[in-house]
């Protein structure tokens, strides 16, 4: 019992003695004599270290602009806008197509827009134009949507969103020709983008909120 008490008392006394010696020493550490010269110091962490692939940002133009919108209708129209103009409301391309969704002048006239300057400077109007044009195209293509959705043409699954995206690119008439010729009549625009490409790229989005309307207008 006495030995146990002595061992408990001896340990704190030893620690105190060592601390006293270290602080009372005349020697001091001269930090100036230490240097990192010649050492390889590399603290850079690679971009994808410990980061899952599905949260890495992508700069590829053919990827969806946002990883959060998924296959929703907002995801559909924003992905289409990104492909058309990079999402730029003020964009005018070399063929004179205008705005975030790259509308042609004749299409704008059909949905009630005649003032192009006003159109370019009004994002809200551009969004209305997109909705009106989609509703009009859905009405024109209503029978083709019924007859072809779920089928495959040249290996591409036909979906309603693919049809509407292709109609935005080429007009509903060109989409009818593509579907009814089973892909033989495949319109391409001035940049070489085809109906089939848009059918594939914009497949499977939810466009159920677009209601067919023959007389749809933006204004």
């Amino acid at each position: 019992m006495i030995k146990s008490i002595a061992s408990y008392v001896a340990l704190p006394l030893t620690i105190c003695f060592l601390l006293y010696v270290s602080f009372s020493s005349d020697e001091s550490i001269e930090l100036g004599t230490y240097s990192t010269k010649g050492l390889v110091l590399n603290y850079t962490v690679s971009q994808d270290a410990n980061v899952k692939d599905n949260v890495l940002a992508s700069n590829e133009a053919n990827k969806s602009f946002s990883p959060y919108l998924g296959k929703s209708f907002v995801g559909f129209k924003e992905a289409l806008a990104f492909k058309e103009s990079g999402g730029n409301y003020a964009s005018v391309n070399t063929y004179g197509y205008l705005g975030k969704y790259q509308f042609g002048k004749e299409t704008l006239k059909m949905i009630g827009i005649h003032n192009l300057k006003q159109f370019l400077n009004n994002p809200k109007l551009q969004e209305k134009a997109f909705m009106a044009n989609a509703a009009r195209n859905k009405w024109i293509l209503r029978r083709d949507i019924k007859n072809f959705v779920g089928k495959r043409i040249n290996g591409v699954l036909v979906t309603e969103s693919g049809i509407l995206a292709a109609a935005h690119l080429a007009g509903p008439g060109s989409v009818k020709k593509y579907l009814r010729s089973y892909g033989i009549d495949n319109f391409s625009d001035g940049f070489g983008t085809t109906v089939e490409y848009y059918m594939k790229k914009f497949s499977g989005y939810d466009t159920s909120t677009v209601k067919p309307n023959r007389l749809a207008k933006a204004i």
Side-chain angles (χ1 to χ4, degrees):
M1 183 72 171
I2 296 174
K3 289 182 179 180
S4 298
I5 295 172
S7 63
Y8 282 118
V9 172
L11 181 60
L13 289 175
T14 302
I15 293 172
C16 291
F17 175 77
L18 292 173
L19 289 173
Y20 172 79
V21 171
S22 63
F23 282 113
S24 61
S25 175
D26 292 331
E27 294 182 10
S28 61
I29 298 173
E30 178 54 50
L31 296 178
T33 62
Y34 289 84
S35 172
T36 59
K37 184 177 180 180
L39 298 178
V40 178
L41 303 176
N42 186 356
Y43 300 107
T44 303
V45 179
S46 63
Q47 184 184 25
D48 59 350
N50 300 320
V51 180
K52 292 183 179 179
D53 290 340
N54 63 351
V55 298
L56 291 175
S58 173
N59 292 323
E60 296 179 36
N62 66 342
K63 294 292 181 68
S64 178
F65 92 104
S66 168
Y68 305 111
L69 298 176
K71 292 291 186 176
S72 67
F73 177 69
V74 174
F76 169 71
K77 72 184 187 68
E78 293 302 324
L80 185 58
F82 187 80
K83 179 66 177 71
E84 292 286 337
S85 71
N88 182 5
Y89 285 107
S91 175
V92 180
N93 76 6
T94 54
Y95 294 97
Y97 287 84
L98 305 126
K100 179 179 176 180
Y101 301 100
Q102 294 291 278
F103 279 100
K105 297 175 184 178
E106 294 305 314
T107 300
L108 290 175
K109 287 179 183 178
M110 283 190 289
I111 55 177
I113 297 172
H114 300 276
N115 188 326
L116 301 182
K117 184 177 180 181
Q118 180 191 22
F119 175 75
L120 275 176
N121 293 325
N122 191 334
K124 187 175 181 180
L125 181 58
Q126 291 191 33
E127 296 297 335
K128 287 183 177 180
F130 180 83
M131 292 301 300
N133 190 54
R136 180 177 171 275
N137 287 339
K138 191 168 182 177
W139 186 86
I140 295 171
L141 292 163
R142 64 196 185 282
R143 291 189 181 90
D144 297 276
I145 290 171
K146 181 180 179 180
N147 293 333
F148 287 95
V149 166
K151 295 181 179 179
R152 287 187 179 271
I153 297 178
N154 294 334
V156 177
L157 179 65
V158 178
T159 65
E160 182 179 284
S161 61
I163 289 174
L164 293 180
H168 183 87
L169 169 77
S174 293
V175 175
K176 280 188 178 185
K177 291 178 182 178
Y178 171 83
L179 293 171
R180 296 178 187 186
S181 70
Y182 283 86
I184 295 174
D185 193 335
N186 188 18
F187 169 91
S188 63
D189 69 3
F191 297 104
T193 307
T194 64
V195 166
E196 183 172 286
Y197 174 80
Y198 263 45
M199 292 280 288
K200 182 178 181 180
K201 182 172 180 62
F202 297 102
S203 173
Y205 286 88
D206 180 8
T207 52
S208 61
T209 55
V210 179
K211 304 304 178 185
N213 184 352
R214 180 173 64 91
L215 302 175
K217 301 289 183 183
I219 296 179

